[in-house]
Amino acid sequence: MITKMEFPAGRRLRPANIGIATLSLVALIAGVAFIGCTKEKISPELADSSPLAEGQRIFRFDTFGDEQYWTDTARLHEVVEEHLRPLKALGLGVKVDLDKLNLLKFVMHNPFGTSGTKELLRENAVVGIQATFDKEGNIARIGITCAFCHSTVDNALLPGIGHRLDGWPNRDLNVGAIIALSPALPADKKAVYESWGPGKYDPRFNLDGKNTPLVIPPAYGLAQVKNETYTAEGPISYWNAYVAVTQMGGQGNFSDPRLGIDVKHSPDMVTSKLPALRAYQYSLPVPPPPAASFNAAAAERGNALFGQTCLVCHVGATGTDNNSGKLHASAETGVDGAYAARTANKAYRTTPLRALWQHPPYFHDGSAATLVDVVAHYNRVRTLGLTVDQQRDLVEYLKSL
């Protein structure tokens, strides 16, 4: 039984990242705030008092009290206060909510210094990060929310700055590098976190010490999906509670005897919020593919091929046979089994097919860089016998989902 845990909390900015971020901020200072501001908002803020609006507030802004970890233990408030400039934050994949951004105040607070980062936090414009300040204007507490990993922006203004896209996985976010900024971590653990790279996270490393990071999954299109995790250990509220308590450091209760986890806090700041959070996640639609992003005629041929070769596992409207309880051994699908071996079920579910155009790389570990790689993998492992042209058609169909 686990009663006390160490929770997981930088990548150097590549020259290209620095250049893009610098140009972005120069453009801001030049007064181009109007660019893209009239673009339709895909995830507008709900202002009513409905359960859906409450769920959105929880998803975007509720830390579940995890400041206790990120501030008191990881001391990331010190890092942000003293070292994290907006350029570096953008380079780490952190996103800025254009609808919260006060451009004039941001520029006045020096967008090239840590004071610019603090101003963004004061404006509540940093997606997935919450901060409070003391009377002297220093960061007193800092925490993260669900949106940190499971929202991005549409780049309506500039790269990394735009309208929120809730449920879209932030595949630019280098979570491990951000965690590794903590001055409380030893060098060996920092090295593990820094090895993950953008868009990946290991939700068990702080529990078992093993390192097999996963790609951050989408949080949209879940309404008809019974089990959201790659290994189907429970429904969406199970995973929400697991992440909130064991990964974010939220002050709540979570227990799973299969994994030897039993964490309790009083008061419990998580459990009562799970129904509204789930309702909001269920409401997030699958984003349609961009216009002219696939060949319609080829996709139609690919649809027929999909029915002949893929529907055994990707069944029904959800595209997964896991709704009926089916799981697959790693050898069956030809994917690495190291992560599954660390879980309660020791196997993988069939991943629902939703907006595949939006979130490469693929498979639980990102081992397939493109949909071409996905189709080639299964053509080989499942001996489908598809020709090059048939594989191409199947890829076009997958792009259309």
Side-chain angles (χ1 to χ4, degrees):
M1 179 183 295
I2 297 175
T3 56
K4 184 178 181 181
M5 299 186 198
E6 173 191 329
F7 296 102
R11 178 184 60 163
R12 292 180 181 270
L13 285 178
R14 295 189 297 266
N17 287 340
I18 294 173
I20 292 171
T22 301
L23 288 173
S24 297
L25 289 179
V26 168
L28 277 171
I29 295 171
V32 296
F34 65 89
I35 301 176
C37 291
T38 59
K39 188 173 181 178
E40 179 183 0
K41 301 173 187 177
I42 300 178
S43 301
E45 187 163 336
L46 302 174
D48 57 52
S49 58
S50 67
L52 206 60
E54 176 63 9
Q56 185 190 71
R57 187 198 65 77
I58 294 167
F59 182 86
R60 292 183 175 186
F61 306 122
D62 202 314
T63 65
F64 308 110
D66 65 23
E67 291 91 344
Q68 184 167 321
Y69 174 72
W70 298 104
T71 303
D72 300 338
T73 301
R75 295 162 49 199
L76 278 184
H77 67 303
E78 299 174 13
V79 176
V80 176
E81 174 79 33
E82 300 169 10
H83 304 294
L84 193 62
R85 298 174 176 85
L87 289 176
K88 183 163 187 176
L90 288 171
L92 289 167
V94 176
K95 304 300 182 182
V96 174
D97 182 354
L98 179 60
D99 299 300
K100 297 288 187 180
L101 175 63
N102 185 316
L103 177 63
L104 181 59
K105 290 179 67 176
F106 175 56
V107 172
M108 289 176 63
H109 282 83
N110 183 9
F112 296 103
T114 57
S115 58
T117 305
K118 291 196 291 181
E119 177 55 30
L120 291 173
L121 289 168
R122 284 191 197 93
E123 296 174 12
N124 207 13
V126 181
V127 175
I129 301 180
Q130 295 288 291
T132 57
F133 294 81
D134 61 24
K135 291 184 295 185
E136 286 72 41
N138 301 313
I139 299 174
R141 310 288 288 171
I142 199 165
I144 63 171
T145 76
C146 300
F148 188 58
C149 291
H150 296 288
S151 288
T152 185
V153 298
D154 62 4
N155 302 324
L157 179 58
L158 296 161
I161 306 173
H163 305 301
R164 285 178 181 260
L165 300 172
D166 285 347
W168 295 41
N170 186 351
R171 294 288 174 85
D172 299 323
L173 188 67
N174 197 331
V175 185
I178 293 170
I179 295 170
L181 294 173
S182 167
L185 289 174
D188 59 334
K189 290 189 176 179
K190 288 190 177 193
V192 173
Y193 292 130
E194 289 171 340
S195 73
W196 293 350
K200 290 188 176 183
Y201 180 77
D202 190 320
R204 302 182 191 273
F205 173 65
N206 68 314
L207 303 179
D208 63 15
K210 299 176 182 178
N211 181 32
T212 56
L214 308 175
V215 291
I216 299 171
Y220 50 61
L222 298 176
Q224 304 302 319
V225 177
K226 289 186 177 180
N227 299 302
E228 165 51 9
T229 68
Y230 287 110
T231 48
E233 280 146 310
I236 186 170
S237 287
Y238 165 95
W239 193 243
N240 284 341
Y242 175 94
V243 172
V245 176
T246 75
Q247 302 304 298
M248 292 167 62
Q251 302 300 289
N253 298 340
F254 179 82
S255 179
D256 188 337
R258 300 173 299 174
L259 301 172
I261 301 174
D262 187 20
V263 183
K264 291 182 173 62
H265 292 98
S266 183
D268 178 356
M269 301 174 67
V270 174
T271 304
S272 65
K273 300 168 183 174
L274 295 175
L277 176 60
R278 178 184 59 202
Y280 181 61
Q281 289 170 301
Y282 279 174
S283 78
L284 297 174
V286 176
S293 63
F294 62 92
N295 183 305
E300 185 174 353
R301 295 192 298 269
N303 187 11
L305 289 167
F306 186 87
Q308 298 166 17
T309 59
C310 308
L311 277 182
V312 174
C313 300
H314 292 285
V315 300
T318 61
T320 177
D321 57 5
N322 182 248
N323 277 6
S324 62
K326 181 72 173 176
L327 290 167
H328 300 272
S330 58
E332 184 181 346
T333 56
V335 297
D336 184 82
Y339 178 77
R342 302 164 61 193
T343 69
N345 287 331
K346 315 298 182 187
Y348 296 110
R349 63 155 196 187
T350 299
T351 299
L353 303 181
R354 43 194 168 149
L356 297 179
W357 62 270
Q358 188 268 318
H359 55 87
Y362 305 99
F363 300 149
H364 69 283
D365 56 0
S367 55
T370 68
L371 290 173
V372 172
D373 297 326
V374 171
V375 171
H377 170 90
Y378 282 118
N379 193 43
R380 180 180 69 257
V381 171
R382 306 287 290 177
T383 59
L384 301 178
L386 298 176
T387 67
V388 171
D389 287 341
Q390 288 175 321
Q391 291 182 61
R392 187 180 301 114
D393 290 344
L394 188 52
V395 166
E396 292 302 305
Y397 172 67
L398 295 177
K399 288 162 61 176
S400 74
L401 296 176

